[in-house]
Amino acid sequence: KAGVTQTPRYLIKTRGQQVTLSCSPISGHRSVSWYQQTPGQGLQFLFEYFSETQRNKGNFPGRFSGRQFSNSRSEMNVSTLELGDSALYLCASTPGTGNGYTFGSGTRLTVV
Amino acid sequence: AQTVTQSQPEMSVQEAETVTLSCTYDTSESNYYLFWYKQPPSRQMILVIRQEAYKQQNATENRFSVNFQKAAKSFSLKISDSQLGDTAMYFCAFENRDDKIIFGKGTRLHILP
C-alpha cells in the first residue's frame, strides 16, 4: 500500500515568488492536512481538507492557501514568499477521526 | 482552545534503559484521542501509539506504552529496553471531533550507546 507522497522533496525559491506543493494521500483517505514545521515553532497546523472542502484552517495569513481534488490529492500554495516561510511542509492523511495521521516525507522549502 | 505541553525539550538515556516522556494537555471535552509520534532524523513522522480517552486501559505497542491519566490530563510515553533506533524527536498530539490534530513542541530523545 503506497504511503503519502509529497512532491517535490526540496525547493529553493526567491522572496516574492510563489510556490505550489503537492500531496497524494493514501488511497481511500479523504482527509488531508498540512503542517508547517520549523525548529522554533514546532508543528503548526495550516489547513485540513475533506472531500474537496476546507474543513479547518490554522492561523496563517491569506498568502497560504490550499485545495483538494476529487481524487483526494491536495495542493498548497504560498504566494509572495517571505524568508520566514522557509520550513518543512508536511502533509498527512487519515481515514477518519481517531485513527491518527500518516505523514508524507515533507517538502523542504528554502526561501532566499 | 486545546493545548499540548511537552515539558522536556531534550533527554538522553543509555541503550537498554527505560525512559519516560511527559505530556500534558488541556481540553474541556470528554471524548478525544491522544497520540505519540516519532520523527527520526530522516524526518518521516511515524505514529507510535494511540489512546482513546474513553478507554481506561493504557495502550501498549511492543516496547512502547502510555500512562494515561484523564483527570490529570496527562499522557506520558514509556519506552522500555531503549534502542539506538529510538533516537528521534517525539511529539505528543491531541485530536478531538474537529479532526484537527494539535501537536506539542516535541522532546528530542538521544539513545546513547
Side-chain angles (χ1 to χ4, degrees):
Chain A
K1 188 175 181 180
V4 177
T5 304
Q6 288 189 248
T7 55
R9 289 212 68 188
Y10 301 92
L11 209 46
I12 300 176
K13 289 286 188 179
T14 304
R15 262 184 311 175
Q17 287 187 312
Q18 76 164 21
V19 67
T20 298
L21 312 182
S22 179
C23 172
S24 293
I26 289 176
S27 178
H29 287 193
R30 293 160 65 190
S31 171
V32 175
S33 295
W34 289 88
Y35 287 83
Q36 180 194 66
Q37 186 177 19
T38 58
Q41 296 298 317
L43 280 152
Q44 301 286 307
F45 174 76
L46 280 156
F47 24 67
E48 184 237 349
Y49 286 88
F50 181 84
S51 292
E52 303 178 65
T53 300
Q54 189 181 87
R55 205 157 60 164
N56 280 299
K57 188 177 192 307
N59 190 25
F60 277 81
R63 299 185 297 108
F64 292 81
S65 62
R67 59 178 175 170
Q68 187 180 32
F69 302 95
S70 59
N71 62 357
S72 293
R73 190 178 71 85
S74 178
E75 289 181 347
M76 67 163 281
N77 184 276
V78 188
S79 62
T80 320
L81 283 164
E82 301 177 358
L83 296 178
D85 297 333
S86 294
L88 179 66
Y89 289 88
L90 292 167
C91 169
S93 72
T94 179
T97 305
N99 289 280
Y101 288 163
T102 300
F103 280 85
S105 296
T107 295
R108 172 77 65 188
L109 172 66
T110 302
V111 182
V112 297
Chain B
Q2 289 87 5
T3 58
V4 178
T5 302
Q6 293 179 250
S7 58
Q8 304 148 314
E10 197 158 1
M11 298 179 72
S12 296
V13 296
Q14 294 293 136
E15 192 177 9
E17 286 186 348
T18 294
V19 60
T20 299
L21 280 57
S22 302
C23 173
T24 57
Y25 58 93
D26 188 26
T27 183
S28 57
E29 303 198 14
S30 58
N31 193 21
Y32 47 88
Y33 302 88
L34 296 162
F35 308 91
W36 279 97
Y37 284 85
K38 168 185 177 180
Q39 188 179 36
S42 66
R43 87 191 190 194
Q44 181 84 45
M45 290 273 282
I46 302 163
L47 177 62
V48 174
I49 201 165
R50 64 185 286 273
Q51 175 81 41
E52 299 173 64
Y54 63 87
K55 287 190 175 178
Q56 302 252 347
Q57 188 173 4
N58 289 324
T60 299
E61 288 288 341
N62 301 313
R63 297 182 296 107
F64 298 86
S65 61
V66 298
N67 184 5
F68 173 47
Q69 302 288 327
K70 191 171 184 179
K73 297 180 182 175
S74 169
F75 183 61
S76 61
L77 174 70
K78 186 173 83 171
I79 306 174
S80 302
D81 185 27
S82 56
Q83 301 173 0
L84 296 177
D86 295 332
T87 291
M89 195 77 169
Y90 286 81
F91 294 93
C92 178
F94 169 98
E95 181 183 17
N96 62 6
R97 293 166 300 167
D98 280 346
D99 287 322
K100 183 174 70 177
I101 296 184
I102 306 299
F103 289 84
K105 296 280 192 194
T107 295
R108 188 174 299 281
L109 178 64
H110 303 275
I111 307 299
L112 307 173

